[in-house]
Amino acid sequence: MDHDNAYDGLVETQDDARWAFGTGFDDPLAGVDTTVPTGVDGAALAAYCLMLGDDALVSAQRLAQWSTRAPELEEEVALANIGLDLLGQARLLLARAAAADPSVVPPLPEGSPVPSEDALAFFRDAPAFRPVHLTQVPNGDFAVTVVRLTVLSTWRLEVLRALTASRDPVLAAVAEKGVKELSYHRDYAARWCVTLAQGTAVSRSRLVGALGVVWPYLAELSRVHPVERSLVEVGVAADPSAAWLVASAFLDQVLAAGDLEPPGTRSVGTMGGRAGRDGAHTEWLGPLLDEMQVVARAHPMGRW
Amino acid sequence: MSDEPVRAGWPLYEVFVRGKRGLNHVHVGSLHAADDEMALRHARDVYTRRNEGVSIWAVRADLVAASSPAEKDPFFAPSADKVYRHPTFYDIPDDVPHL
């Protein structure tokens, strides 16, 4: 070992020479059979992958909006890392949706090099997106962001835990990778909830205010869409209401650790029985997608 | 819980990471954190995001006893001419690593 170079100890000798240190990355789909399992409707599988992928994609975009705005440099990196984890999950899920049902992919000009996962992310209009409303709520202050992240990562962690036993090998592989990521996201966000709740009078009032912003959107998390129900029956999907039961027990522990009560705010209702999973969205999704999609849409023949 | 917002900055921590093949923790940089637990999490987020490490140490920078640059000569110069302190007069077997 070269003792003049502090980073030498971190280098792997077989590393790709392009990287200074730290490679050996894993491909989460290595060795996974990507054919749609028999007895599974490709269109339903694609719709389900869009639901899970869009939750991750919209959450990733919200977290990216913290870049250059976070209260501390270290928190900015942490939020960006979490966003990138979710973006990675979204890429795999959108690619899976496109493979299971190519008709969900928006048409692009002849010869466009844009891969199907990018076409789904950047060229799909809001009504074809399927994220739950809680992902769409604006970031607010840091307290709203960590409360929302606590809720979403706790719920998604339980959904992915159940999906590790999915009959779809791709969903199972994505879940296997995601469970480790979500466990960290939940730990990060829940710690901040307790820290803010038990910190100063100001931080506590911000945290209590954030609970009031986030809690009205929780009812949607235990709704079971017909697509989810049909895929639960064939052993492909995870039941979001079962995941919510486990998640809400964890959230109760976080509230107890912060000496907090669930806020009494009323749930926001559905839109004539339709919600995010049906393509009925809040007023905030459109502007978010505009910002996310504008560059890609200006260059449909672009290579990135 | 105090009633006043805390305006003071977070203390500085020094971060040491042990790589997958590394034998020892090496200093990789510093960061700010409110407490030890947060320092470990910040270190994970700031210094191991490219798959560098398998173990992290974080220590408050003000707890590190450091030699002063002004003492460089009395500290280190006297060892510069003591060649007999190096084990160069022995044959070292080829299969002894990391000596």
Side-chain angles (χ1 to χ4, degrees), chain A residues 6-7 9 12 14 21-23 74-75 78 81 184 187 191 199-201, chain B residues 1-2 4 10 19-22 26 28 32 41-42 44-45 49-52:
Chain A
Y7 291 93
E12 289 183 55
Q14 287 109 344
F21 50 88
T23 54
E74 289 83 354
E75 300 308 332
N81 284 351
Y184 185 80
D187 174 82
R191 273 174 189 281
T200 66
Chain B
M1 183 167 50
S2 80
E4 292 298 313
W10 288 340
K20 273 178 282 192
R21 286 162 194 271
V26 296
V28 291
H32 291 93
R41 277 157 183 79
H42 281 166
R44 180 265 191 201
D45 282 322
R49 55 201 292 276
R50 297 188 186 89
N51 210 14
E52 292 94 335

PDB file of all heavy atoms in Angstrom, chain A residues 6-7 9 12 14 21-23 74-75 78 81 184 187 191 199-201, chain B residues 1-2 4 10 19-22 26 28 32 41-42 44-45 49-52:
ATOM      1  N   ALA A   6      -3.854   8.606   0.793  1.00  0.00           N
ATOM      2  CA  ALA A   6      -4.817   8.175   1.804  1.00  0.00           C
ATOM      3  C   ALA A   6      -5.920   7.308   1.211  1.00  0.00           C
ATOM      4  O   ALA A   6      -6.512   6.489   1.900  1.00  0.00           O
ATOM      5  CB  ALA A   6      -5.433   9.389   2.476  1.00  0.00           C
ATOM      6  N   TYR A   7      -6.201   7.489  -0.046  1.00  0.00           N
ATOM      7  CA  TYR A   7      -7.308   6.771  -0.660  1.00  0.00           C
ATOM      8  C   TYR A   7      -6.920   5.388  -1.159  1.00  0.00           C
ATOM      9  O   TYR A   7      -7.766   4.617  -1.560  1.00  0.00           O
ATOM     10  CB  TYR A   7      -7.899   7.582  -1.818  1.00  0.00           C
ATOM     11  CG  TYR A   7      -8.599   8.809  -1.334  1.00  0.00           C
ATOM     12  CD1 TYR A   7      -7.939  10.020  -1.254  1.00  0.00           C
ATOM     13  CD2 TYR A   7      -9.923   8.746  -0.925  1.00  0.00           C
ATOM     14  CE1 TYR A   7      -8.585  11.148  -0.777  1.00  0.00           C
ATOM     15  CE2 TYR A   7     -10.574   9.864  -0.443  1.00  0.00           C
ATOM     16  CZ  TYR A   7      -9.898  11.065  -0.371  1.00  0.00           C
ATOM     17  OH  TYR A   7     -10.535  12.167   0.102  1.00  0.00           O
ATOM     18  N   GLY A   9      -6.036   2.766   0.313  1.00  0.00           N
ATOM     19  CA  GLY A   9      -6.624   1.657   1.041  1.00  0.00           C
ATOM     20  C   GLY A   9      -8.040   1.351   0.611  1.00  0.00           C
ATOM     21  O   GLY A   9      -8.595   0.322   0.941  1.00  0.00           O
ATOM     22  N   GLU A  12      -9.860  -1.056  -4.985  1.00  0.00           N
ATOM     23  CA  GLU A  12      -9.856  -2.480  -5.292  1.00  0.00           C
ATOM     24  C   GLU A  12      -8.931  -2.685  -6.478  1.00  0.00           C
ATOM     25  O   GLU A  12      -8.998  -1.957  -7.455  1.00  0.00           O
ATOM     26  CB  GLU A  12     -11.261  -2.948  -5.647  1.00  0.00           C
ATOM     27  CG  GLU A  12     -12.178  -2.974  -4.447  1.00  0.00           C
ATOM     28  CD  GLU A  12     -13.541  -3.520  -4.818  1.00  0.00           C
ATOM     29  OE1 GLU A  12     -13.585  -4.627  -5.361  1.00  0.00           O
ATOM     30  OE2 GLU A  12     -14.516  -2.825  -4.579  1.00  0.00           O
ATOM     31  N   GLN A  14      -8.773  -4.848  -8.857  1.00  0.00           N
ATOM     32  CA  GLN A  14      -9.322  -5.159 -10.174  1.00  0.00           C
ATOM     33  C   GLN A  14     -10.257  -4.077 -10.685  1.00  0.00           C
ATOM     34  O   GLN A  14     -11.022  -4.286 -11.604  1.00  0.00           O
ATOM     35  CB  GLN A  14     -10.111  -6.484 -10.159  1.00  0.00           C
ATOM     36  CG  GLN A  14      -9.218  -7.696 -10.073  1.00  0.00           C
ATOM     37  CD  GLN A  14      -9.348  -8.341  -8.718  1.00  0.00           C
ATOM     38  OE1 GLN A  14      -9.848  -7.737  -7.781  1.00  0.00           O
ATOM     39  NE2 GLN A  14      -8.880  -9.577  -8.597  1.00  0.00           N
ATOM     40  N   PHE A  21     -11.854   5.134  -7.008  1.00  0.00           N
ATOM     41  CA  PHE A  21     -12.012   4.079  -6.024  1.00  0.00           C
ATOM     42  C   PHE A  21     -13.485   3.747  -5.904  1.00  0.00           C
ATOM     43  O   PHE A  21     -14.350   4.508  -6.335  1.00  0.00           O
ATOM     44  CB  PHE A  21     -11.458   4.473  -4.659  1.00  0.00           C
ATOM     45  CG  PHE A  21     -11.936   5.789  -4.158  1.00  0.00           C
ATOM     46  CD1 PHE A  21     -13.098   5.891  -3.432  1.00  0.00           C
ATOM     47  CD2 PHE A  21     -11.213   6.944  -4.429  1.00  0.00           C
ATOM     48  CE1 PHE A  21     -13.537   7.108  -2.972  1.00  0.00           C
ATOM     49  CE2 PHE A  21     -11.654   8.174  -3.967  1.00  0.00           C
ATOM     50  CZ  PHE A  21     -12.827   8.259  -3.237  1.00  0.00           C
ATOM     51  N   GLY A  22     -13.766   2.573  -5.314  1.00  0.00           N
ATOM     52  CA  GLY A  22     -15.144   2.226  -5.033  1.00  0.00           C
ATOM     53  C   GLY A  22     -15.928   1.842  -6.260  1.00  0.00           C
ATOM     54  O   GLY A  22     -16.718   2.621  -6.783  1.00  0.00           O
ATOM     55  N   THR A  23     -15.707   0.651  -6.777  1.00  0.00           N
ATOM     56  CA  THR A  23     -16.566   0.154  -7.848  1.00  0.00           C
ATOM     57  C   THR A  23     -17.107  -1.197  -7.415  1.00  0.00           C
ATOM     58  O   THR A  23     -17.504  -1.356  -6.281  1.00  0.00           O
ATOM     59  CB  THR A  23     -15.809   0.072  -9.188  1.00  0.00           C
ATOM     60  OG1 THR A  23     -14.652  -0.691  -8.980  1.00  0.00           O
ATOM     61  CG2 THR A  23     -15.476   1.454  -9.696  1.00  0.00           C
ATOM     62  N   GLU A  74     -24.706  18.399   4.222  1.00  0.00           N
ATOM     63  CA  GLU A  74     -24.791  16.951   4.419  1.00  0.00           C
ATOM     64  C   GLU A  74     -26.213  16.442   4.160  1.00  0.00           C
ATOM     65  O   GLU A  74     -26.409  15.347   3.648  1.00  0.00           O
ATOM     66  CB  GLU A  74     -24.348  16.577   5.839  1.00  0.00           C
ATOM     67  CG  GLU A  74     -22.850  16.726   6.091  1.00  0.00           C
ATOM     68  CD  GLU A  74     -22.435  18.144   6.446  1.00  0.00           C
ATOM     69  OE1 GLU A  74     -23.279  19.057   6.390  1.00  0.00           O
ATOM     70  OE2 GLU A  74     -21.255  18.356   6.780  1.00  0.00           O
ATOM     71  N   GLU A  75     -27.209  17.255   4.550  1.00  0.00           N
ATOM     72  CA  GLU A  75     -28.601  16.833   4.319  1.00  0.00           C
ATOM     73  C   GLU A  75     -28.921  16.865   2.828  1.00  0.00           C
ATOM     74  O   GLU A  75     -29.709  16.056   2.329  1.00  0.00           O
ATOM     75  CB  GLU A  75     -29.575  17.746   5.074  1.00  0.00           C
ATOM     76  CG  GLU A  75     -29.393  17.768   6.576  1.00  0.00           C
ATOM     77  CD  GLU A  75     -29.389  16.402   7.203  1.00  0.00           C
ATOM     78  OE1 GLU A  75     -30.023  15.468   6.662  1.00  0.00           O
ATOM     79  OE2 GLU A  75     -28.725  16.240   8.246  1.00  0.00           O
ATOM     80  N   ALA A  78     -27.673  13.730   1.464  1.00  0.00           N
ATOM     81  CA  ALA A  78     -28.498  12.611   1.927  1.00  0.00           C
ATOM     82  C   ALA A  78     -29.811  12.550   1.136  1.00  0.00           C
ATOM     83  O   ALA A  78     -30.225  11.480   0.674  1.00  0.00           O
ATOM     84  CB  ALA A  78     -28.790  12.760   3.422  1.00  0.00           C
ATOM     85  N   ASN A  81     -29.136  11.402  -2.379  1.00  0.00           N
ATOM     86  CA  ASN A  81     -28.869   9.954  -2.425  1.00  0.00           C
ATOM     87  C   ASN A  81     -30.172   9.170  -2.388  1.00  0.00           C
ATOM     88  O   ASN A  81     -30.352   8.196  -3.134  1.00  0.00           O
ATOM     89  CB  ASN A  81     -28.055   9.519  -1.199  1.00  0.00           C
ATOM     90  CG  ASN A  81     -26.603   9.895  -1.291  1.00  0.00           C
ATOM     91  OD1 ASN A  81     -26.135  10.337  -2.328  1.00  0.00           O
ATOM     92  ND2 ASN A  81     -25.884   9.751  -0.191  1.00  0.00           N
ATOM     93  N   TYR A 184     -32.905   2.169   4.866  1.00  0.00           N
ATOM     94  CA  TYR A 184     -32.094   3.339   5.224  1.00  0.00           C
ATOM     95  C   TYR A 184     -32.915   4.623   5.138  1.00  0.00           C
ATOM     96  O   TYR A 184     -32.819   5.489   6.019  1.00  0.00           O
ATOM     97  CB  TYR A 184     -30.841   3.451   4.339  1.00  0.00           C
ATOM     98  CG  TYR A 184     -29.962   4.587   4.798  1.00  0.00           C
ATOM     99  CD1 TYR A 184     -29.112   4.433   5.874  1.00  0.00           C
ATOM    100  CD2 TYR A 184     -30.039   5.836   4.199  1.00  0.00           C
ATOM    101  CE1 TYR A 184     -28.351   5.475   6.346  1.00  0.00           C
ATOM    102  CE2 TYR A 184     -29.283   6.896   4.652  1.00  0.00           C
ATOM    103  CZ  TYR A 184     -28.431   6.712   5.727  1.00  0.00           C
ATOM    104  OH  TYR A 184     -27.692   7.762   6.197  1.00  0.00           O
ATOM    105  N   ASP A 187     -35.018   4.909   8.170  1.00  0.00           N
ATOM    106  CA  ASP A 187     -34.203   5.211   9.345  1.00  0.00           C
ATOM    107  C   ASP A 187     -33.825   6.689   9.350  1.00  0.00           C
ATOM    108  O   ASP A 187     -33.954   7.389  10.358  1.00  0.00           O
ATOM    109  CB  ASP A 187     -32.948   4.320   9.310  1.00  0.00           C
ATOM    110  CG  ASP A 187     -31.965   4.670  10.406  1.00  0.00           C
ATOM    111  OD1 ASP A 187     -32.178   4.201  11.532  1.00  0.00           O
ATOM    112  OD2 ASP A 187     -31.001   5.406  10.143  1.00  0.00           O
ATOM    113  N   ARG A 191     -35.606   9.256  12.103  1.00  0.00           N
ATOM    114  CA  ARG A 191     -34.718   9.917  13.061  1.00  0.00           C
ATOM    115  C   ARG A 191     -34.928  11.420  13.068  1.00  0.00           C
ATOM    116  O   ARG A 191     -34.938  12.060  14.125  1.00  0.00           O
ATOM    117  CB  ARG A 191     -33.258   9.645  12.711  1.00  0.00           C
ATOM    118  CG  ARG A 191     -32.729   8.390  13.292  1.00  0.00           C
ATOM    119  CD  ARG A 191     -31.324   8.098  12.784  1.00  0.00           C
ATOM    120  NE  ARG A 191     -30.991   6.783  13.231  1.00  0.00           N
ATOM    121  CZ  ARG A 191     -30.582   6.521  14.477  1.00  0.00           C
ATOM    122  NH1 ARG A 191     -30.412   7.502  15.338  1.00  0.00           N
ATOM    123  NH2 ARG A 191     -30.347   5.289  14.840  1.00  0.00           N
ATOM    124  N   GLY A 199     -36.578  18.538  19.603  1.00  0.00           N
ATOM    125  CA  GLY A 199     -35.520  19.551  19.555  1.00  0.00           C
ATOM    126  C   GLY A 199     -35.904  20.821  20.274  1.00  0.00           C
ATOM    127  O   GLY A 199     -36.001  20.847  21.506  1.00  0.00           O
ATOM    128  N   THR A 200     -36.168  21.882  19.542  1.00  0.00           N
ATOM    129  CA  THR A 200     -36.548  23.161  20.142  1.00  0.00           C
ATOM    130  C   THR A 200     -38.047  23.379  19.947  1.00  0.00           C
ATOM    131  O   THR A 200     -38.711  22.634  19.226  1.00  0.00           O
ATOM    132  CB  THR A 200     -35.791  24.313  19.464  1.00  0.00           C
ATOM    133  OG1 THR A 200     -36.239  24.404  18.112  1.00  0.00           O
ATOM    134  CG2 THR A 200     -34.296  24.073  19.487  1.00  0.00           C
ATOM    135  N   ALA A 201     -38.571  24.435  20.569  1.00  0.00           N
ATOM    136  CA  ALA A 201     -39.993  24.754  20.394  1.00  0.00           C
ATOM    137  C   ALA A 201     -40.293  25.019  18.928  1.00  0.00           C
ATOM    138  O   ALA A 201     -41.347  24.630  18.411  1.00  0.00           O
ATOM    139  CB  ALA A 201     -40.360  25.969  21.249  1.00  0.00           C
TER     140      ALA A 201
ATOM    141  N   MET B   1     -36.000  19.868  26.287  1.00  0.00           N
ATOM    142  CA  MET B   1     -36.205  20.674  25.092  1.00  0.00           C
ATOM    143  C   MET B   1     -36.062  22.150  25.449  1.00  0.00           C
ATOM    144  O   MET B   1     -36.690  22.630  26.374  1.00  0.00           O
ATOM    145  CB  MET B   1     -37.584  20.377  24.509  1.00  0.00           C
ATOM    146  CG  MET B   1     -37.842  21.108  23.237  1.00  0.00           C
ATOM    147  SD  MET B   1     -39.277  20.491  22.347  1.00  0.00           S
ATOM    148  CE  MET B   1     -40.531  20.440  23.581  1.00  0.00           C
ATOM    149  N   SER B   2     -35.230  22.855  24.691  1.00  0.00           N
ATOM    150  CA  SER B   2     -35.075  24.283  24.960  1.00  0.00           C
ATOM    151  C   SER B   2     -36.131  25.057  24.191  1.00  0.00           C
ATOM    152  O   SER B   2     -36.719  24.570  23.243  1.00  0.00           O
ATOM    153  CB  SER B   2     -33.679  24.744  24.543  1.00  0.00           C
ATOM    154  OG  SER B   2     -33.639  24.956  23.152  1.00  0.00           O
ATOM    155  N   GLU B   4     -35.558  28.039  22.749  1.00  0.00           N
ATOM    156  CA  GLU B   4     -34.968  28.914  21.740  1.00  0.00           C
ATOM    157  C   GLU B   4     -34.483  28.115  20.543  1.00  0.00           C
ATOM    158  O   GLU B   4     -33.949  27.014  20.701  1.00  0.00           O
ATOM    159  CB  GLU B   4     -33.761  29.659  22.344  1.00  0.00           C
ATOM    160  CG  GLU B   4     -34.156  30.661  23.404  1.00  0.00           C
ATOM    161  CD  GLU B   4     -35.057  31.760  22.848  1.00  0.00           C
ATOM    162  OE1 GLU B   4     -34.732  32.309  21.777  1.00  0.00           O
ATOM    163  OE2 GLU B   4     -36.104  32.037  23.463  1.00  0.00           O
ATOM    164  N   TRP B  10     -23.254  23.103  13.739  1.00  0.00           N
ATOM    165  CA  TRP B  10     -22.978  21.767  14.249  1.00  0.00           C
ATOM    166  C   TRP B  10     -21.471  21.555  14.370  1.00  0.00           C
ATOM    167  O   TRP B  10     -20.700  22.122  13.585  1.00  0.00           O
ATOM    168  CB  TRP B  10     -23.531  20.734  13.273  1.00  0.00           C
ATOM    169  CG  TRP B  10     -25.017  20.642  13.262  1.00  0.00           C
ATOM    170  CD1 TRP B  10     -25.885  21.055  14.221  1.00  0.00           C
ATOM    171  CD2 TRP B  10     -25.812  20.082  12.198  1.00  0.00           C
ATOM    172  NE1 TRP B  10     -27.170  20.779  13.840  1.00  0.00           N
ATOM    173  CE2 TRP B  10     -27.167  20.196  12.619  1.00  0.00           C
ATOM    174  CE3 TRP B  10     -25.532  19.498  10.983  1.00  0.00           C
ATOM    175  CZ2 TRP B  10     -28.215  19.730  11.833  1.00  0.00           C
ATOM    176  CZ3 TRP B  10     -26.581  19.044  10.201  1.00  0.00           C
ATOM    177  CH2 TRP B  10     -27.908  19.157  10.621  1.00  0.00           C
ATOM    178  N   GLY B  19     -12.092   0.419   3.421  1.00  0.00           N
ATOM    179  CA  GLY B  19     -12.567  -0.116   2.154  1.00  0.00           C
ATOM    180  C   GLY B  19     -12.699  -1.617   2.215  1.00  0.00           C
ATOM    181  O   GLY B  19     -12.274  -2.269   3.169  1.00  0.00           O
ATOM    182  N   LYS B  20     -13.303  -2.187   1.165  1.00  0.00           N
ATOM    183  CA  LYS B  20     -13.550  -3.620   1.145  1.00  0.00           C
ATOM    184  C   LYS B  20     -12.251  -4.420   1.270  1.00  0.00           C
ATOM    185  O   LYS B  20     -12.214  -5.459   1.887  1.00  0.00           O
ATOM    186  CB  LYS B  20     -14.282  -3.997  -0.151  1.00  0.00           C
ATOM    187  CG  LYS B  20     -15.783  -3.867  -0.008  1.00  0.00           C
ATOM    188  CD  LYS B  20     -16.501  -4.197  -1.285  1.00  0.00           C
ATOM    189  CE  LYS B  20     -16.412  -3.037  -2.242  1.00  0.00           C
ATOM    190  NZ  LYS B  20     -17.306  -3.176  -3.393  1.00  0.00           N
ATOM    191  N   ARG B  21     -11.177  -3.919   0.629  1.00  0.00           N
ATOM    192  CA  ARG B  21      -9.908  -4.622   0.693  1.00  0.00           C
ATOM    193  C   ARG B  21      -8.920  -3.944   1.617  1.00  0.00           C
ATOM    194  O   ARG B  21      -7.801  -4.397   1.799  1.00  0.00           O
ATOM    195  CB  ARG B  21      -9.288  -4.706  -0.699  1.00  0.00           C
ATOM    196  CG  ARG B  21      -9.997  -5.698  -1.568  1.00  0.00           C
ATOM    197  CD  ARG B  21      -9.669  -5.445  -3.011  1.00  0.00           C
ATOM    198  NE  ARG B  21     -10.598  -6.190  -3.862  1.00  0.00           N
ATOM    199  CZ  ARG B  21     -10.372  -7.429  -4.268  1.00  0.00           C
ATOM    200  NH1 ARG B  21      -9.256  -8.039  -3.939  1.00  0.00           N
ATOM    201  NH2 ARG B  21     -11.248  -8.055  -5.011  1.00  0.00           N
ATOM    202  N   GLY B  22      -9.317  -2.795   2.163  1.00  0.00           N
ATOM    203  CA  GLY B  22      -8.394  -2.066   3.015  1.00  0.00           C
ATOM    204  C   GLY B  22      -8.196  -2.773   4.336  1.00  0.00           C
ATOM    205  O   GLY B  22      -9.091  -3.432   4.845  1.00  0.00           O
ATOM    206  N   VAL B  26      -8.983   4.672   6.813  1.00  0.00           N
ATOM    207  CA  VAL B  26      -8.196   5.829   6.383  1.00  0.00           C
ATOM    208  C   VAL B  26      -9.064   7.087   6.461  1.00  0.00           C
ATOM    209  O   VAL B  26     -10.277   7.039   6.268  1.00  0.00           O
ATOM    210  CB  VAL B  26      -7.635   5.659   4.947  1.00  0.00           C
ATOM    211  CG1 VAL B  26      -6.667   4.507   4.878  1.00  0.00           C
ATOM    212  CG2 VAL B  26      -8.744   5.476   3.946  1.00  0.00           C
ATOM    213  N   VAL B  28     -10.850  10.170   5.309  1.00  0.00           N
ATOM    214  CA  VAL B  28     -11.341  10.568   3.991  1.00  0.00           C
ATOM    215  C   VAL B  28     -11.840  12.004   3.963  1.00  0.00           C
ATOM    216  O   VAL B  28     -12.024  12.567   2.887  1.00  0.00           O
ATOM    217  CB  VAL B  28     -12.469   9.639   3.492  1.00  0.00           C
ATOM    218  CG1 VAL B  28     -11.922   8.257   3.188  1.00  0.00           C
ATOM    219  CG2 VAL B  28     -13.604   9.565   4.486  1.00  0.00           C
ATOM    220  N   HIS B  32     -20.066  18.055   9.159  1.00  0.00           N
ATOM    221  CA  HIS B  32     -20.736  18.594  10.341  1.00  0.00           C
ATOM    222  C   HIS B  32     -21.932  17.719  10.697  1.00  0.00           C
ATOM    223  O   HIS B  32     -22.633  17.230   9.818  1.00  0.00           O
ATOM    224  CB  HIS B  32     -21.220  20.020  10.077  1.00  0.00           C
ATOM    225  CG  HIS B  32     -20.110  21.015   9.952  1.00  0.00           C
ATOM    226  ND1 HIS B  32     -19.553  21.351   8.740  1.00  0.00           N
ATOM    227  CD2 HIS B  32     -19.440  21.713  10.895  1.00  0.00           C
ATOM    228  CE1 HIS B  32     -18.589  22.232   8.954  1.00  0.00           C
ATOM    229  NE2 HIS B  32     -18.498  22.481  10.239  1.00  0.00           N
ATOM    230  N   ARG B  41     -24.338   8.691   9.985  1.00  0.00           N
ATOM    231  CA  ARG B  41     -25.250   8.678   8.837  1.00  0.00           C
ATOM    232  C   ARG B  41     -24.809   9.671   7.769  1.00  0.00           C
ATOM    233  O   ARG B  41     -24.862   9.369   6.574  1.00  0.00           O
ATOM    234  CB  ARG B  41     -26.679   8.941   9.313  1.00  0.00           C
ATOM    235  CG  ARG B  41     -27.279   7.649   9.811  1.00  0.00           C
ATOM    236  CD  ARG B  41     -28.411   7.782  10.762  1.00  0.00           C
ATOM    237  NE  ARG B  41     -28.811   6.449  11.188  1.00  0.00           N
ATOM    238  CZ  ARG B  41     -28.177   5.733  12.106  1.00  0.00           C
ATOM    239  NH1 ARG B  41     -27.104   6.227  12.702  1.00  0.00           N
ATOM    240  NH2 ARG B  41     -28.583   4.521  12.422  1.00  0.00           N
ATOM    241  N   HIS B  42     -24.362  10.833   8.202  1.00  0.00           N
ATOM    242  CA  HIS B  42     -23.840  11.779   7.217  1.00  0.00           C
ATOM    243  C   HIS B  42     -22.605  11.208   6.518  1.00  0.00           C
ATOM    244  O   HIS B  42     -22.437  11.379   5.310  1.00  0.00           O
ATOM    245  CB  HIS B  42     -23.471  13.104   7.886  1.00  0.00           C
ATOM    246  CG  HIS B  42     -24.657  13.973   8.160  1.00  0.00           C
ATOM    247  ND1 HIS B  42     -24.603  15.058   8.987  1.00  0.00           N
ATOM    248  CD2 HIS B  42     -25.936  13.909   7.713  1.00  0.00           C
ATOM    249  CE1 HIS B  42     -25.798  15.642   9.026  1.00  0.00           C
ATOM    250  NE2 HIS B  42     -26.622  14.954   8.277  1.00  0.00           N
ATOM    251  N   ARG B  44     -21.937   8.131   5.973  1.00  0.00           N
ATOM    252  CA  ARG B  44     -22.426   7.116   5.026  1.00  0.00           C
ATOM    253  C   ARG B  44     -22.906   7.799   3.748  1.00  0.00           C
ATOM    254  O   ARG B  44     -22.625   7.356   2.642  1.00  0.00           O
ATOM    255  CB  ARG B  44     -23.553   6.333   5.704  1.00  0.00           C
ATOM    256  CG  ARG B  44     -24.196   5.233   4.867  1.00  0.00           C
ATOM    257  CD  ARG B  44     -25.432   5.757   4.187  1.00  0.00           C
ATOM    258  NE  ARG B  44     -26.217   4.674   3.588  1.00  0.00           N
ATOM    259  CZ  ARG B  44     -27.101   4.855   2.622  1.00  0.00           C
ATOM    260  NH1 ARG B  44     -27.308   6.055   2.132  1.00  0.00           N
ATOM    261  NH2 ARG B  44     -27.785   3.845   2.140  1.00  0.00           N
ATOM    262  N   ASP B  45     -23.627   8.918   3.911  1.00  0.00           N
ATOM    263  CA  ASP B  45     -24.200   9.574   2.741  1.00  0.00           C
ATOM    264  C   ASP B  45     -23.160  10.350   1.942  1.00  0.00           C
ATOM    265  O   ASP B  45     -23.254  10.449   0.726  1.00  0.00           O
ATOM    266  CB  ASP B  45     -25.323  10.527   3.171  1.00  0.00           C
ATOM    267  CG  ASP B  45     -26.599   9.761   3.488  1.00  0.00           C
ATOM    268  OD1 ASP B  45     -26.876   8.792   2.780  1.00  0.00           O
ATOM    269  OD2 ASP B  45     -27.303  10.131   4.447  1.00  0.00           O
ATOM    270  N   ARG B  49     -20.968   6.841  -0.811  1.00  0.00           N
ATOM    271  CA  ARG B  49     -22.038   6.712  -1.802  1.00  0.00           C
ATOM    272  C   ARG B  49     -21.556   6.094  -3.093  1.00  0.00           C
ATOM    273  O   ARG B  49     -22.351   5.751  -3.953  1.00  0.00           O
ATOM    274  CB  ARG B  49     -22.715   8.056  -2.035  1.00  0.00           C
ATOM    275  CG  ARG B  49     -21.793   9.150  -2.432  1.00  0.00           C
ATOM    276  CD  ARG B  49     -22.431  10.509  -2.151  1.00  0.00           C
ATOM    277  NE  ARG B  49     -23.558  10.800  -2.985  1.00  0.00           N
ATOM    278  CZ  ARG B  49     -23.477  11.319  -4.211  1.00  0.00           C
ATOM    279  NH1 ARG B  49     -22.294  11.589  -4.740  1.00  0.00           N
ATOM    280  NH2 ARG B  49     -24.541  11.572  -4.898  1.00  0.00           N
ATOM    281  N   ARG B  50     -20.252   5.981  -3.281  1.00  0.00           N
ATOM    282  CA  ARG B  50     -19.753   5.316  -4.490  1.00  0.00           C
ATOM    283  C   ARG B  50     -19.188   3.938  -4.151  1.00  0.00           C
ATOM    284  O   ARG B  50     -18.227   3.488  -4.765  1.00  0.00           O
ATOM    285  CB  ARG B  50     -18.713   6.182  -5.189  1.00  0.00           C
ATOM    286  CG  ARG B  50     -19.300   7.487  -5.671  1.00  0.00           C
ATOM    287  CD  ARG B  50     -18.361   8.293  -6.532  1.00  0.00           C
ATOM    288  NE  ARG B  50     -18.947   9.590  -6.847  1.00  0.00           N
ATOM    289  CZ  ARG B  50     -18.804  10.679  -6.106  1.00  0.00           C
ATOM    290  NH1 ARG B  50     -18.084  10.639  -4.998  1.00  0.00           N
ATOM    291  NH2 ARG B  50     -19.372  11.807  -6.458  1.00  0.00           N
ATOM    292  N   ASN B  51     -19.780   3.321  -3.138  1.00  0.00           N
ATOM    293  CA  ASN B  51     -19.441   1.942  -2.848  1.00  0.00           C
ATOM    294  C   ASN B  51     -18.021   1.789  -2.320  1.00  0.00           C
ATOM    295  O   ASN B  51     -17.360   0.794  -2.582  1.00  0.00           O
ATOM    296  CB  ASN B  51     -19.610   1.107  -4.130  1.00  0.00           C
ATOM    297  CG  ASN B  51     -19.999  -0.321  -3.834  1.00  0.00           C
ATOM    298  OD1 ASN B  51     -20.386  -0.639  -2.708  1.00  0.00           O
ATOM    299  ND2 ASN B  51     -19.887  -1.189  -4.817  1.00  0.00           N
ATOM    300  N   GLU B  52     -17.543   2.790  -1.551  1.00  0.00           N
ATOM    301  CA  GLU B  52     -16.158   2.753  -1.105  1.00  0.00           C
ATOM    302  C   GLU B  52     -15.938   1.862   0.112  1.00  0.00           C
ATOM    303  O   GLU B  52     -14.872   1.287   0.261  1.00  0.00           O
ATOM    304  CB  GLU B  52     -15.669   4.163  -0.718  1.00  0.00           C
ATOM    305  CG  GLU B  52     -15.531   5.126  -1.855  1.00  0.00           C
ATOM    306  CD  GLU B  52     -16.777   5.974  -2.038  1.00  0.00           C
ATOM    307  OE1 GLU B  52     -17.849   5.513  -1.625  1.00  0.00           O
ATOM    308  OE2 GLU B  52     -16.663   7.072  -2.589  1.00  0.00           O
TER     309      GLU B  52
END
